[in-house]
C-alpha cells in the first residue's frame, strides 16, 4: 500500500465504504491466501478517499465536512461482479462494481472538496482490491478467482479511518446517508 509522506502533527485519514459479512471475511481470506499480507491490516472496502495526510488538530473540520456530505446522499446498492487489473500501471487485481460505481464516484467527488480537496495520485476508480504487490502468477490467480465472485448489498453510509504507520486501518467515525431516496 502506498502511504504518501506525512509531516509531524499529521495523520493519514481515509474515507471508505465497508463491505459487510460474509464477504469481508471471504475477501480477506482470499487476499491472504494469495500472499498479500496487507489483507491482515486493511479490511476489504471500497475506497472513497485513499490515505491522505491531514493535520491532526484539524480532524474536527474533516468530520464536520463528512457529516455535511452524508446529508446529501441516499443509500444505494453496490454489486461486485467480475475482476480486472490496473496492470501495467500497478500490480493490483480487483473486483469491479457492476452496480453502484456512479454513486461511489459522485460520493468521492463531494468528499474530495472543502478540507479534503487534495490532489490525488490517480483518477478515481471504484473497486475492491483482491491482491496488491504480489507476483504475476498470484495476480493472475486473483483475477481468475475474482471472475466468478458476486456480492450485492445496500450501502447505508461511509466511514472515516485513521491509518497508522504500519498500514493498519482503524475506524474513527461513521456517517449514515441522510437524504431520502425518492
Amino acid at each position: 500500500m502506498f502511504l504518501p509522506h506525512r509531516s509531524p502533527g499529521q495523520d493519514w485519514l481515509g474515507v471508505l465504504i465497508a463491505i459487510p459479512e460474509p464477504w469481508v471475511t471471504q475477501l480477506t481470506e482470499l487476499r491472504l491466501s494469495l500472499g498479500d499480507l496487507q489483507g491482515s491490516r486493511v479490511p476489504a472496502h471500497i475506497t472513497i478517499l485513499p490515505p491522505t495526510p491531514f493535520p491532526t488538530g484539524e480532524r474536527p473540520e474533516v468530520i464536520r465536512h463528512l457529516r455535511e456530505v452524508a446529508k446529501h446522499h441516499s443509500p444505494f446498492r453496490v454489486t461486485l461482479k467480475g475482476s480486472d487489473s490496473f496492470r501495467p500501471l500497478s500490480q493490483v487485481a480487483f473486483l469491479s462494481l457492476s452496480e453502484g460505481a456512479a454513486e461511489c464516484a459522485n460520493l468521492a467527488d463531494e468528499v474530495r472538496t472543502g478540507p479534503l480537496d487534495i490532489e490525488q495520485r490517480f483518477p478515481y476508480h471504484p473497486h475492491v482490491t483482491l491482491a496488491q504487490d504480489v507476483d504475476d502468477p498470484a495476480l493472475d490467480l486473483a483475477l481468475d478467482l475474482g471472475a466468478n465472485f458476486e456480492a450485492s448489498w445496500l450501502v447505508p453510509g461511509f466511514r472515516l479511518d485513521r491509518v497508522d504507520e504500519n498500514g493498519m486501518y482503524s475506524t474513527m467515525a461513521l456517517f449514515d446517508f441522510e437524504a431520502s431516496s425518492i
Side-chain angles (χ1 to χ4, degrees):
M1 167 191 353
F2 172 79
L3 290 173
H5 173 77
R6 69 180 170 134
S7 301
Q10 290 184 321
D11 286 324
W12 285 300
L13 301 180
V15 178
L16 60 93
I17 292 174
I19 296 176
E21 291 292 356
W23 303 296
V24 68
T25 296
Q26 291 173 9
L27 293 171
T28 297
E29 289 172 357
L30 173 61
R31 196 167 178 179
L32 292 171
S33 75
L34 293 164
D36 183 351
L37 301 182
Q38 292 180 53
S40 65
R41 296 184 302 273
V42 182
H45 65 276
I46 300 168
T47 300
I48 299 299
L49 177 77
T52 302
F54 201 82
T56 304
E58 296 178 27
R59 214 181 290 157
E61 180 183 350
V62 170
I63 290 172
R64 277 192 298 277
H65 170 67
L66 294 176
R67 194 174 294 128
E68 281 300 312
V69 168
K71 288 180 181 179
H72 303 116
H73 291 267
S74 301
F76 61 92
R77 180 157 298 282
V78 160
T79 300
L80 303 176
K81 187 173 185 180
S83 59
D84 203 348
S85 171
F86 289 128
R87 288 191 283 197
L89 189 58
S90 65
Q91 286 291 100
V92 175
F94 61 86
L95 291 172
S96 301
L97 277 69
S98 64
E99 186 176 14
E103 291 87 346
C104 287
N106 290 338
L107 178 61
D109 285 347
E110 194 169 341
V111 163
R112 295 168 184 219
T113 62
L116 295 176
D117 184 10
I118 300 164
E119 187 173 334
Q120 299 297 313
R121 267 177 82 204
F122 298 110
Y124 183 71
H125 180 82
H127 66 281
V128 175
T129 300
L130 285 173
Q132 181 174 352
D133 298 328
V134 295
D135 61 21
D136 281 326
L139 215 58
D140 291 338
L141 180 57
L143 291 169
D144 289 344
L145 295 171
N148 296 318
F149 184 89
E150 187 171 347
S152 187
W153 71 95
L154 191 65
V155 175
F158 58 94
R159 72 183 204 212
L160 173 66
D161 278 16
R162 181 181 174 278
V163 182
D164 72 16
E165 56 280 343
N166 298 313
M168 180 76 76
Y169 281 53
S170 58
T171 302
M172 293 180 57
L174 301 173
F175 302 91
D176 291 332
F177 295 133
E178 296 182 27
S180 60
S181 52
I182 298 175

